[in-house]
Amino acid sequence: MTQLSICMPSNRVLKDSIASIESAIAYCRQTDAVLIVSDNSEDPEKRAFLQGHSGDLIYVSSVNTSATENWKRAFAAAETAFIMPMGDDDLIFADPAQPALDLATLGGDYIGAFAVNIAFTQAHGQLARKTLSLTADDPAERMKGYLNNAGGNNSNYYSMYRRDVFGGLLSLFLSAHPTQGSYCDWALSLALVSSGKMAHDPGTVFHYNMDNWGSREKIDALNTTIYTAVGLPEGSDRYEHLLMFLDLYVMAARKDTPLTEPQKTKLATDIVLMTMGRFVRRVKQTPDDYDETTRYLVELAMAEQNSLGIFQIALMMADILQPGLKDRYVEFFRRAVAA
């Protein structure tokens, strides 16, 4: 029985996406998976190509839709127990020399599995090869394990997840998150691995295209534009860990998480230490980068013992970054716990 759908929202024209699509088609043939391509490129050549492969993939026409809507449509077409996001410039292969993981055999405390992950750029070829499994019982330990393995590269986000867990988090994010910025990919990855254990599939090899992050100049530019592109002010990268704290605190508290209430309570405290702690240290190290009120609120946060109290102080800091952001996060939190 088919267990996995690869969900590919695609905006590139055919010549720029055909390698990714064909690699996914070949992988699905070998593993009995399903490829879903939701296309908003408006490229007639690509539309004809995808329609011609109707026996190998599910084609979703998303003409005149946003990137967010395109992703929603790709996911909505999936009916399998597991899904895997994939970019239309990435590649995926089945390694015949390695045993493929049968996702149907995963226990209920597992929410998915990591593929072998290889980052590459067109200029430099393969950069890193990562293998990972996260089997700790404690959600925070899984988050720490993810960060230790990542090395600043979040490509393991492109993994296999239970559709209900991934879908619940994605639906909350796309319907209620204050910015839906691409900078939130780290918070999404950490929220996912906090939700359950992750196995390793040695038979699936995912090649992640890092061309957008291929040089220091590109990294510096993206560290600015990933915030300004969603309406946040310039310099928001200085608030990276404050925003990550707010996102993770809300996502970990969501009503449909698989975690128990005691696990959620402990995780809230762990998230304070892992993310808010880093923001506090940055403010202390570079105080001139922040206004007087933010520095004062940092002192209050350091004295506060309750994670909810720290969350409320962090909301006030967010409103200094951008007026109105606090209210949008309050609504995000309300939707998460009421979902």
Side-chain angles (χ1 to χ4, degrees):
M1 180 179 177
T2 300
Q3 291 290 316
L4 178 68
S5 295
I6 296 176
C7 299
M8 181 189 293
S10 181
N11 180 253
R12 289 176 171 84
V13 297
L14 181 62
K15 69 180 181 65
D16 295 329
S17 59
I18 190 169
S20 297
I21 294 170
E22 289 188 332
S23 78
I25 289 173
Y27 173 84
C28 289
R29 287 174 178 168
Q30 292 171 276
T31 62
D32 192 30
V34 176
L35 172 62
I36 300 167
V37 181
S38 182
D39 177 42
N40 67 351
S41 68
E42 302 185 35
D43 175 12
E45 183 182 7
K46 183 179 177 187
R47 181 174 63 251
F49 175 84
L50 293 172
Q51 289 175 333
H53 277 270
S54 59
D56 296 307
L57 58 82
I58 296 173
Y59 165 57
V60 179
S61 177
S62 296
V63 177
N64 297 323
T65 62
S66 65
T68 297
E69 180 61 27
N70 201 28
W71 171 237
K72 285 182 180 179
R73 294 188 181 194
F75 178 78
E79 298 180 349
T80 52
F82 293 83
I83 65 94
M84 181 177 192
M86 180 174 174
D88 65 354
D89 59 347
D90 301 323
L91 303 168
I92 188 169
F93 304 99
D95 184 350
Q98 296 293 334
L101 175 68
D102 183 357
L103 293 170
T105 65
L106 290 180
D109 54 344
Y110 281 80
I111 63 156
F114 296 110
V116 176
N117 194 285
I118 300 175
F120 74 96
T121 68
Q122 298 298 327
H124 303 290
Q126 293 186 13
L127 302 176
R129 180 185 181 94
K130 296 191 294 185
T131 59
L132 178 63
S133 62
L134 297 173
T135 60
D137 290 326
D138 184 72
E141 289 303 313
R142 294 195 295 269
M143 292 168 64
K144 292 173 185 176
Y146 186 92
L147 289 171
N148 290 338
N149 177 270
N153 167 10
N154 192 32
S155 56
N156 270 325
Y157 165 75
Y158 295 94
S159 297
M160 293 161 269
Y161 305 100
R162 291 194 187 276
R163 182 166 58 94
D164 57 349
V165 175
F166 187 92
L169 182 61
L170 182 74
S171 177
L172 171 66
F173 178 77
L174 293 180
S175 65
H177 188 273
T179 70
Q180 298 176 22
S182 62
Y183 67 88
C184 300
D185 62 341
W186 281 100
L188 287 166
S189 292
L190 293 172
L192 284 165
V193 301
S194 76
S195 301
K197 298 177 182 179
M198 293 285 289
H200 172 59
D201 180 4
T204 298
V205 183
F206 190 88
H207 289 237
Y208 174 68
N209 190 331
M210 285 195 68
D211 276 342
N212 288 338
W213 304 89
S215 68
R216 173 47 58 186
E217 292 77 13
K218 287 182 178 180
I219 291 172
D220 289 343
L222 279 169
N223 280 339
T224 295
T225 58
I226 58 176
Y227 295 99
T228 57
V230 291
L232 292 174
E234 289 189 11
S236 293
D237 56 308
R238 292 174 295 155
Y239 293 80
E240 172 190 4
H241 290 104
L242 173 70
L243 295 171
M244 187 181 292
F245 165 68
L246 291 170
D247 289 343
L248 278 174
Y249 191 90
V250 173
M251 292 175 187
R254 69 191 192 277
K255 188 175 182 180
D256 65 353
T257 178
L259 301 182
T260 64
E261 287 302 321
Q263 285 177 316
K264 288 164 67 173
T265 299
K266 180 181 181 299
L267 182 58
T269 300
D270 292 330
I271 288 170
V272 170
L273 297 174
M274 293 174 64
T275 55
M276 192 63 179
R278 294 186 67 177
F279 178 68
V280 167
R281 287 193 293 274
R282 175 161 183 170
V283 174
K284 288 293 187 180
Q285 291 166 0
T286 58
D288 292 342
D289 286 347
Y290 302 90
D291 65 280
E292 182 179 357
T293 305
T294 297
R295 296 196 300 267
Y296 170 71
L297 289 171
V298 162
E299 297 294 333
L300 292 182
M302 291 174 64
E304 176 60 57
Q305 299 297 310
N306 183 273
S307 64
L308 180 57
I310 294 172
F311 177 67
Q312 292 169 329
I313 294 169
L315 290 172
M316 290 187 278
M317 295 182 194
D319 224 42
I320 295 169
L321 172 62
Q322 185 179 64
L325 191 56
K326 173 177 71 72
D327 290 341
R328 287 149 62 195
Y329 264 104
V330 169
E331 176 61 15
F332 183 34
F333 182 79
R334 188 193 67 78
R335 293 278 295 275
V337 298

